[in-house]
Amino acid sequence: MTNEVLRSVRGLLPMIADRADKVDESRRVSEQVIRELGDAGMFKMLQPRRYGGTEGDPVHFYEVVRAVSGVCGSTGWLASVLGVHPWHLALFDDRAQRDVWGHDDSVLVSSAYAPVGRLVPVEGGYRLTGDWHFSSGCEHASWALLGAMVVGTEGRPVDFMTALVPRSDYRIHDVWDVVGMRGTASNEISADDVFVPDFRIKRNYETAQLRGPGQKVNRGPLYRLPFATLFTTAVAAPGVGIVAGCYERYLTFMRERVRLSLGGGRFVDDQFAQVAVARASSEIDAAILQMDRNVRELWELAEAGEELPMGLRLRVRRDQVRATERALDAIDLLFKTAGGSSLSRGNAIERSWRDAHAGSVHVANEPERALALFGRGAFGLPVEDNLV
């Protein structure tokens, strides 16, 4: 099946690439770029058809993410995380979906999933208080998905939830000034004792068990997939796309380079440079091939209405974190072999190196935890984790 959104987005890539420097300097992706990505269908790829989405093949979504990330890491990151949230919202009670999309199906949702908020049960819902770091693209969004612990009568946490909160109920604090992914504007969000009705609360355990009220109205195979597959791949795909795009620019730039030391000569004639290019390209290919293979296998099982085996879900996480590691290995090779050419502030190699490393520190890209989970499963030990 043709990826129509990818075809549309390709027409935007030269413009996005031209703005990459400004995005990095200003720490913002412009509203115009977000709007044009929306017009191209980027943010509706995983959104239910009932609310104007295309509800399509998730592999196509990650293809578009990689393409955008290849010309601007910050824009690709926002395209991915803002684009995956409609999928999560589709698992909520339909009343919550109507609250967000009932009058405008192009409304965007950001997130800060760390369970640092505090939910206190009250009649009809909960009171939410908290401060959340790193809500990427929150300034472009009208709602936020916020992680919180439910507090029992003795003041102890008893459950882990995600609350859907409108922009009017939280404040955004402009604190994002970092070395990489600078344009994602992943600012802080705070809420103070705001009411959240119970239909805008989702149990994380229930999500991990592939259950939810939204599946009663959104019955397509897309909403039978695990959160840990859709979201963690959305976090890894931009990094792989950044490095893949950098690799192409690296080849173009280094073909014309002449060494001024080490005996001179053309860079492309250096056998060590040739080997580095081979290694980097292999790491990029392996990352893409494994991630796409795994997501497609899950998608096909969901389409067939079959069970999604835990072994495959664990393999998704294994290869997702390994994809990030492979992308970092590749970008480090490119950065080093480019020599002093990669050091100038703002050049494409330097910016890609910063962006890829910045994206890699997201908790979903943490390798040891995901690899240990796979190892437990391979040895036949029980695996209980919300990120599988």
Side-chain angles (χ1 to χ4, degrees):
M1 184 181 296
T2 303
N3 191 339
E4 296 295 338
V5 175
L6 180 59
R7 181 182 299 178
S8 298
V9 166
R10 278 178 177 150
L12 302 176
L13 297 183
M15 176 267 292
I16 294 173
D18 287 343
R19 297 185 177 204
D21 284 339
K22 186 175 182 180
V23 166
D24 194 62
E25 294 167 3
S26 66
R27 299 181 296 118
R28 295 287 186 278
V29 174
S30 72
E31 289 290 345
Q32 179 186 349
V33 169
I34 296 296
R35 184 171 58 254
E36 294 199 25
L37 285 172
D39 291 343
M42 174 80 239
F43 301 119
K44 291 187 176 180
M45 296 183 77
L46 306 181
Q47 189 164 313
R49 292 191 186 95
R50 300 169 54 251
Y51 289 108
T54 53
E55 198 175 318
D57 185 337
V59 174
H60 287 177
F61 174 73
Y62 299 120
E63 288 174 346
V64 181
V65 168
R66 292 196 300 264
V68 177
S69 302
V71 297
C72 177
S74 291
T75 305
W77 182 272
L78 292 191
S80 196
V81 297
L82 293 176
V84 79
H85 291 145
W87 175 87
H88 192 192
L89 177 56
L91 305 184
F92 277 69
D93 188 293
D94 194 42
R95 288 172 291 176
Q97 297 175 53
R98 284 200 305 270
D99 281 352
V100 177
W101 293 317
H103 298 290
D104 182 359
D105 60 24
S106 64
V107 166
L108 298 178
V109 181
S110 70
S111 71
Y113 286 119
V116 296
R118 175 187 175 96
L119 283 166
V120 178
V122 295
E123 184 177 355
Y126 299 83
R127 306 296 301 189
L128 173 67
T129 299
D131 299 289
W132 294 265
H133 300 298
F134 315 137
S135 184
S136 298
C138 56
E139 293 184 350
H140 302 289
S142 301
W143 293 75
L145 292 159
L146 303 176
M149 300 298 295
V150 178
V151 179
T153 54
E154 298 180 358
R156 297 178 180 176
V158 295
D159 209 347
F160 180 9
M161 303 284 206
T162 298
L164 176 66
V165 183
R167 178 74 170 264
S168 57
D169 283 353
Y170 59 83
R171 299 180 302 280
I172 296 173
H173 308 281
D174 185 0
V175 298
W176 185 254
D177 190 3
V178 292
V179 297
M181 293 288 191
R182 287 175 52 79
T184 62
S186 302
N187 285 311
E188 293 182 4
I189 284 178
S190 62
D192 185 14
D193 194 35
V194 300
F195 176 71
V196 184
D198 53 12
F199 64 84
R200 283 204 250 117
I201 297 288
K202 184 84 167 61
R203 289 189 69 209
N204 286 38
Y205 176 78
E206 181 183 65
T207 300
Q209 297 300 309
L210 311 186
R211 301 197 311 267
Q215 291 165 332
K216 297 177 182 177
V217 290
N218 298 317
R219 298 179 179 275
L222 184 61
Y223 307 107
R224 297 187 59 242
L225 297 177
F227 175 89
T229 292
L230 271 291
F231 182 74
T232 63
T233 306
V235 171
V240 176
I242 288 166
V243 178
C246 181
Y247 172 78
E248 296 300 329
R249 290 191 295 273
Y250 172 95
L251 292 179
T252 299
F253 177 72
M254 300 305 282
R255 283 190 186 104
E256 307 301 323
R257 184 182 173 196
V258 176
R259 290 192 184 278
L260 301 178
S261 60
L262 299 177
R266 296 194 311 159
F267 179 83
V268 295
D269 293 326
D270 185 337
Q271 185 179 19
F272 294 103
Q274 296 162 358
V275 170
V277 164
R279 290 186 183 279
S281 62
S282 178
E283 296 290 8
I284 295 166
D285 285 350
I288 293 171
L289 289 169
Q290 284 191 308
M291 285 200 301
D292 283 358
R293 176 198 65 170
N294 294 338
V295 174
R296 188 165 301 287
E297 284 191 27
L298 280 174
W299 170 246
E300 290 174 350
L301 288 171
E303 282 190 306
E306 297 181 15
E307 182 181 352
L308 308 182
M310 180 56 69
L312 178 54
R313 294 170 65 173
L314 288 167
R315 195 178 81 194
V316 167
R317 287 286 282 128
R318 179 198 71 185
D319 293 341
Q320 171 254 314
V321 295
R322 288 291 293 126
T324 298
E325 290 187 320
R326 288 189 170 100
L328 293 185
D329 287 344
I331 195 69
D332 286 348
L333 268 173
L334 299 179
F335 185 85
K336 290 176 182 178
T337 57
S341 302
S342 62
L343 296 178
S344 300
R345 181 77 165 84
N347 77 78
I349 297 173
E350 181 264 353
R351 186 173 59 248
S352 297
W353 185 85
R354 286 189 287 111
D355 285 347
H357 278 272
S360 74
V361 303
H362 191 287
V363 65
N365 282 326
E366 183 180 283
E368 282 74 18
R369 176 182 176 182
L371 296 179
L373 289 172
F374 180 87
R376 286 186 63 86
F379 282 127
L381 300 175
V383 176
E384 294 183 7
D385 193 283
N386 286 338
L387 277 181
V388 175

